[in-house]
Amino acid sequence: MKFALKSLAVASLFVSASALAAWPDKPIQIIVPWGAGGNTDTVARLVAEGLQKQLGANVNVVNRTGGAGVVGHDAIAKAKPDGYTLGIATVEIAMMHHQGMTALSYKNYTPITRLAVNLGGVQVAANSRFENITQLTDYIKANPGKLKASGSGLNSGWHLNLIGMLDSMGLPANSVTWVPSEGSSAAQMELVSGGIDFTTSSPGEAKSMVDAGMTRNLATMAEKPEGLYKDIPVFQQTTPYKYSLATWNSLVVPAGTPDDIAQKLIAAMKTVFADGKLQEFATKQGFEVYPLFGADMQTFMQQEDEKYGKLISKLKQ
């Protein structure tokens, strides 16, 4: 009897190992928490194309929208951790649970790699009295509550960009009035019309208006000058205030996915990045691609969770 049980256990291990070695032997899906046609969706489709080539299996993109990102992120987290469901986790996963929208956090996922990075920034109209970021921050400190800003919706990433900027200056959240908008494009139009004094959108989202000579970039919230916007002043280098912020998205699998599968995905994604299509698309759209893999991405997501948690707490004060 003991021999039979031992044989059964060995056989089970053999079958399990064989199944893992055969992965993938059926189609893979990538869940995107946002709608088709946007940057996150397009990045996911480029990832799917690259992985399909590298893994030799069909890789399909599925858009699961709703709940301001909660529905899709929940579907990724609850999927069977067998390597056949991947997902695109976006920066909102570092925000939603602090906002009381869901219990989900970075802990529900095993990250494969960071994909896109979208720097925070500060823009003014071309005819603004503020010639540089120091003039703007000095005015805010001397005249709290006098200026208006926008960039996207209430409590969104670009709203939090403003909150973080003000906090780094030792100022409360109400030192600048936030005017919610239907995204960065609408905010840029409001800026040009004179309805607000500055925006906190990414330089990529402001690019068309800047190129048209209608707005100007005063700063980026980069950690250091590099990449597409290395010629724009960096906020924490140009001012006395220590602060950086970017939104991002990442390729993840549900927590509990076997490490062997995660490592195969990391190796495949390194080849996908080397192909250059992701970077080419990013450059055209005005955002960056800075890969960060596995455990390094896990640490990054934890740090981002802490950062956004602190920013969101400022809104409640």
Side-chain angles (χ1 to χ4, degrees):
M1 183 67 173
K2 288 183 180 180
F3 177 78
L5 289 173
K6 185 175 181 180
S7 298
L8 181 61
V10 170
S12 297
L13 286 172
F14 178 77
V15 170
S16 177
S18 298
L20 186 59
W23 178 90
D25 62 356
K26 63 181 180 179
I28 294 170
Q29 68 170 347
I30 300 178
I31 295 176
V32 179
W34 308 100
N39 281 348
T40 300
D41 175 71
T42 304
V43 166
R45 293 178 190 280
L46 289 171
V47 168
E49 179 184 321
L51 286 180
Q52 186 163 296
K53 182 179 179 181
Q54 295 303 314
L55 299 175
N58 289 332
V59 182
N60 305 301
V61 172
V62 179
N63 299 93
R64 295 289 299 275
T65 61
V70 172
V71 171
H73 282 94
D74 187 62
I76 300 166
K78 290 181 177 177
K80 188 175 180 181
D82 58 3
Y84 291 100
T85 298
L86 320 180
I88 306 295
T90 61
V91 67
E92 282 75 15
I93 200 62
M95 300 162 58
M96 295 187 295
H97 70 103
H98 295 297
Q99 296 167 329
M101 297 169 63
T102 177
L104 292 171
S105 76
Y106 69 94
K107 296 177 182 178
N108 294 96
Y109 312 95
T110 296
I112 303 303
T113 182
R114 185 170 60 186
L115 296 168
V117 175
N118 211 11
L119 292 175
V122 177
Q123 300 85 32
V124 294
N127 61 354
S128 172
R129 58 183 146 166
F130 303 113
E131 294 297 324
N132 54 58
I133 190 65
T134 303
Q135 287 182 7
L136 177 64
T137 54
D138 286 349
Y139 185 90
I140 294 171
K141 293 202 78 167
N143 302 274
K146 293 289 183 67
L147 298 185
K148 296 178 181 179
S150 188
S152 49
L154 192 67
N155 301 338
S156 63
W158 298 148
H159 186 190
L160 294 176
N161 186 28
L162 172 65
I163 300 306
M165 184 181 90
L166 295 173
D167 184 57
S168 73
M169 297 163 59
L171 298 176
N174 63 1
S175 298
V176 171
T177 300
W178 183 257
V179 180
S181 65
E182 295 294 324
S184 294
S185 295
Q188 291 290 313
M189 293 303 297
E190 187 71 9
L191 179 62
V192 172
S193 70
I196 56 176
D197 300 288
F198 66 97
T199 53
T200 53
S201 306
S202 70
E205 290 166 326
K207 187 177 186 303
S208 62
M209 300 292 275
V210 171
D211 288 349
M214 301 174 76
T215 64
R216 293 184 283 115
N217 284 302
L218 293 189
T220 71
M221 272 38 183
E223 293 184 358
K224 57 185 178 181
E226 62 180 346
L228 294 176
Y229 306 108
K230 60 181 179 294
D231 295 329
I232 301 174
V234 173
F235 178 83
Q236 65 179 7
Q237 290 186 344
T238 309
T239 72
Y241 314 114
K242 182 71 174 177
Y243 175 67
S244 63
L245 182 133
T247 63
W248 45 267
N249 55 42
S250 60
L251 181 66
V252 300
V253 291
T257 298
D259 186 61
D260 284 12
I261 290 176
Q263 293 304 317
K264 286 182 180 181
L265 283 166
I266 288 173
M269 282 304 303
K270 287 181 178 179
T271 305
V272 171
F273 282 124
D275 179 63
K277 287 186 179 180
L278 273 172
Q279 183 63 60
E280 182 180 348
F281 172 73
T283 299
K284 288 180 179 178
Q285 297 302 113
F287 60 84
E288 313 275 7
V289 174
Y290 293 132
L292 198 62
F293 298 100
D296 290 335
M297 185 59 189
Q298 185 80 14
T299 299
F300 172 79
M301 290 176 75
Q302 179 181 353
Q303 292 169 344
E304 289 289 282
D305 187 89
E306 294 169 358
K307 175 189 287 188
Y308 278 95
K310 289 177 182 176
L311 293 178
I312 290 167
S313 71
K314 301 294 179 183
L315 292 169
K316 302 173 184 178
Q317 294 177 0

